[in-house]
Amino acid sequence: MNKENHQVLLEIKDLHKEYDTRTVLDGIHLRVHKGEVIVVLGPSGCGKSTLLRCLNGLESIQGGDIQFNGESLVGSNVNWQKTRQKIGMVFQNYDLFPHMTVIENILLGPIKVQKREKKEVMEQATQLLERVGLSDRKDSYPRQLSGGQKQRIAIVRALCMNPEIMLFDEVTAALDPEMVREVLDVILGLAKQGMTMMIVTHEMGFAQAVADRILFIDEGKVCEMSEPKEFFTNPKTERAQQFLNIFQF
Amino acid sequence: MQNLGINVLFEGTTLQRLFEGLMMTAGIAFLSIIIGSFLGVGMGLLRTSKSKVVQFICRFYLEVFRIIPILVWLFIVYFGVTNALDIHLDGEIVAVIVFSLWGAAEMGDIVRGALESLPKHQIESGKAIGLSFWGLYRYVLIPQAVRRMLPGAINLSTRMVKTTSLVVMIGVIDVVKVGQQIIERSVIKVPTASFWVYGLIFILYFIICYPLSTLSKKLEAKWEN
Ligand SMILES: Nc1ncnc2c1ncn2[C@@H]1O[C@H](COP(=O)(O)OP(=O)(O)OP(=O)(O)O)[C@@H](O)[C@H]1O
Ligand SMILES: [Mg+2]
């Protein structure tokens, strides 16, 4: 399905990011349409995580513009607390709050930040937990869960805020291989439901299955941007070919 | 009939006086620990501030309390400050002021250590669900820091209880001072008086400090599950 004529949800224009004097992102352009799934690929250290972190204000940027729903996310008067409720993010290390139970983790944002009714949030949380197959773990503490379970809870925690876009940064990289699948299935389910997503991953099969477009970054620059089938069978740039060869074992 | 030394404890108002002294010790310690803990949490938050100036001032404050002995602080406030400001403060008040400020400095260091030991991811995933600065501290960081700082905080509290014995030097009649008075009065009649009196004081200090360490063990066990 072509989503390019959907409304533009997120627009990144000429994004520059520097750590001290080192340029990490060097003029990134990207338009994310509603319902679109962008998979970000690239060698280690090319700036994938940094890109996602800039999008929800965990990193400041040194140039360019980011627009979310037509509003700029650059400058000192951005209300990040409000924006972050709309931009869900899940990290590699499933950072659940260890002193809270699963359900407390999930309810914290909706109730304390969004000030929603507990009953209504509880219903939504229950549904989401069912969807990821963890409705019986409500009252467990994070340390009683496996990595894959924790990561699915972290996804539910982000989803329960009703975000308009989800950012996933290598959410399966820290998992044992047999748990990768259960987490990727959840994300594939989200894609089917039309959730807008930007996904950083090293799982190439998954990338091909879930992506509408592949964004290939090298040394902080957009090196290639194409449909997954084309990217994987017929990469245009040499850097992308080299990158894909690493996975050809 | 042989005079049993232990009887020295049960003569006249001895026990009652020792008890009053104990209440003074416990009262000063208790108030100072409470006030010091509240100030200390604030101090700990300040010490994690990004501002170099704030960091320096807080650090300086802590070092000043570490370098200058508490006894000297008691004298400075009891004689120096009251003189300079031309006010009168009772020894008890001075003790509470000095111990609270000292508690704040040390507790601040414990709180800072606990906050800094929390993984950076916790801050980021808190921010990612839209928590404000205060929300982040209230729901995510402080509850976790409290668990980590508990052993240090309890240790500090027992140190504060023990250090209250210095207050005699500014004229406060605490349990040790009462004990000395009793010994002086009865030592000729009962040569072993000091053994019994100090023995009892030893037990009394134990009675104050033991619940603290029991409490900390209980809380640790509770948070373990
Ligand atoms: N806080 C920081 N301070 C300085 N440099 C940083 C910081 N964070 C990241 N970098 C640098 O920025 C570059 C991009 O980092 P980033 O984490 O975005 O890479 P990545 O593409 O996510 O890599 P990986 O696949 O290994 O996760 C790296 O060279 C890294 O060393
Ligand atoms: Mg990364």
Side-chain angles (χ1 to χ4, degrees):
Chain A
M1 188 178 64
N2 187 7
K3 292 162 185 164
E4 306 254 334
N5 48 13
H6 287 199
Q7 181 197 336
V8 175
L9 185 61
L10 181 74
E11 178 154 20
I12 303 168
K13 293 180 196 161
D14 199 26
L15 177 62
H16 281 261
K17 165 74 194 168
E18 283 152 25
Y19 284 117
D20 300 323
T21 55
R22 246 189 84 226
T23 301
V24 176
L25 295 176
D26 191 4
I28 303 276
H29 285 275
L30 177 69
R31 254 191 204 154
V32 184
H33 302 81
K34 238 189 184 115
E36 208 176 11
V37 179
I38 309 275
V39 170
V40 185
L41 300 178
S44 183
C46 72
K48 305 178 295 291
S49 301
T50 308
L51 174 61
L52 293 199
R53 293 163 58 80
C54 288
L55 299 181
N56 76 346
L58 293 177
E59 300 288 348
S60 62
I61 68 171
Q62 279 67 50
D65 194 15
I66 302 169
Q67 291 195 348
F68 181 64
N69 271 327
E71 279 176 46
S72 173
L73 300 184
V74 178
S76 54
N77 51 6
V78 179
N79 185 344
W80 279 112
Q81 270 138 259
K82 207 161 137 246
T83 309
R84 286 178 184 139
Q85 297 171 35
K86 298 278 156 220
I87 305 182
M89 181 152 183
V90 183
F91 303 85
Q92 180 175 333
N93 293 305
Y94 32 84
D95 299 299
L96 298 178
F97 306 126
H99 60 297
M100 296 181 184
T101 60
V102 163
I103 194 71
E104 286 167 349
N105 264 280
I106 299 170
L107 297 189
L108 180 64
I111 290 181
K112 298 298 179 194
V113 178
Q114 298 181 318
K115 314 275 180 214
R116 283 155 59 193
E117 284 289 325
K118 178 157 183 191
K119 193 166 154 277
E120 173 247 333
V121 184
M122 199 69 184
E123 267 167 33
Q124 187 185 2
T126 311
Q127 273 175 15
L128 288 168
L129 282 172
E130 241 156 60
R131 228 165 77 192
V132 302
L134 289 172
S135 40
D136 54 333
R137 305 316 296 267
K138 260 196 189 100
D139 300 312
S140 305
Y141 280 89
R143 87 189 103 80
Q144 299 166 324
L145 304 176
S146 73
Q149 290 173 329
K150 279 189 261 197
Q151 197 56 291
R152 283 182 279 159
I153 298 295
I155 294 173
V156 168
R157 181 174 69 181
L159 287 176
C160 212
M161 307 283 292
N162 295 320
E164 293 178 28
I165 183 171
M166 288 281 289
L167 312 175
F168 292 94
D169 189 3
E170 300 202 37
V171 290
T172 59
L175 298 181
D176 288 339
E178 70 264 30
M179 290 169 188
V180 168
R181 183 77 211 198
E182 63 192 42
V183 174
L184 296 186
D185 279 340
V186 170
I187 302 177
L188 275 169
L190 288 176
K192 284 213 187 75
Q193 289 183 344
M195 173 61 81
T196 317
M197 297 188 273
M198 279 183 73
I199 303 171
V200 174
T201 183
H202 280 126
E203 304 284 336
M204 292 303 137
F206 168 68
Q208 190 159 5
V210 78
D212 291 308
R213 281 189 292 160
I214 302 281
L215 175 71
F216 179 71
I217 300 183
D218 189 33
E219 295 182 341
K221 291 193 176 78
V222 177
C223 198
E224 201 164 330
M225 168 68 124
S226 41
E227 309 246 318
K229 213 165 136 217
E230 193 186 328
F231 179 81
F232 284 104
T233 52
N234 191 14
K236 286 191 285 276
T237 58
E238 200 177 323
R239 282 300 292 138
Q241 269 164 23
Q242 285 172 352
F243 174 76
L244 287 173
N245 282 340
I246 302 169
F247 296 90
Q248 306 279 311
F249 253 117
Chain B
M1 193 185 79
Q2 195 193 350
N3 193 348
L4 277 177
I6 195 170
N7 284 339
V8 74
L9 297 178
F10 303 105
E11 274 168 13
T13 56
T14 300
L15 268 187
Q16 188 200 333
R17 286 175 58 206
L18 275 171
F19 183 74
E20 281 165 10
L22 179 74
M23 283 302 107
M24 178 61 75
T25 297
I28 290 174
F30 183 74
L31 263 180
S32 309
I33 290 168
I34 298 288
I35 300 172
S37 299
F38 273 102
L39 295 178
V41 170
M43 181 67 75
L45 294 182
L46 281 179
R47 290 202 55 194
T48 59
S49 148
K50 288 199 186 74
S51 157
K52 286 270 184 293
V53 180
V54 173
Q55 274 181 25
F56 176 81
I57 293 172
C58 294
R59 186 71 220 232
F60 182 77
Y61 175 76
L62 171 66
E63 290 305 328
V64 156
F65 267 93
R66 286 203 170 150
I67 291 165
I68 303 177
I70 295 303
L71 180 59
V72 177
W73 274 114
L74 289 170
F75 286 156
I76 291 175
V77 177
Y78 189 64
F79 300 111
V81 174
T82 51
N83 224 336
L85 299 180
D86 198 20
I87 49 172
H88 173 78
L89 288 177
D90 286 338
E92 293 89 335
I93 309 251
V94 169
V96 171
I97 292 174
V98 169
F99 283 110
S100 297
L101 293 177
W102 172 45
E106 292 287 358
M107 193 64 85
D109 203 43
I110 294 170
V111 172
R112 175 199 57 81
L115 284 173
E116 286 179 355
S117 76
L118 297 177
K120 196 168 140 257
H121 311 133
Q122 288 288 312
I123 298 177
E124 296 193 336
S125 49
K127 281 183 179 170
I129 56 168
L131 284 173
S132 63
F133 178 84
W134 288 115
L136 192 60
Y137 273 93
R138 174 155 168 218
Y139 300 114
V140 176
L141 300 182
I142 292 182
Q144 292 186 62
V146 165
R147 290 156 166 76
R148 287 177 190 226
M149 65 184 232
L150 199 71
I154 298 288
N155 184 304
L156 173 64
S157 301
T158 49
R159 256 166 75 210
M160 285 172 75
V161 170
K162 288 182 278 189
T163 314
T164 51
S165 55
L166 293 176
V167 295
V168 282
M169 307 303 288
I170 54 170
V172 178
I173 311 292
D174 78 331
V175 67
V176 178
K177 181 70 186 173
V178 173
Q180 282 171 351
Q181 289 170 348
I182 292 166
I183 292 164
E184 272 163 30
R185 201 193 54 206
S186 44
V187 74
I188 297 175
K189 231 173 19 163
V190 190
T192 57
S194 59
F195 173 77
W196 295 107
V197 171
Y198 282 131
L200 179 63
I201 290 174
F202 168 83
I203 293 169
L204 292 178
Y205 268 103
F206 180 79
I207 288 172
I208 307 182
C209 291
Y210 184 70
L212 286 173
S213 53
T214 315
L215 176 72
S216 93
K217 282 205 195 84
K218 274 227 176 87
L219 287 175
E220 268 175 79
K222 184 177 159 217
W223 288 333
E224 192 56 36
N225 59 48

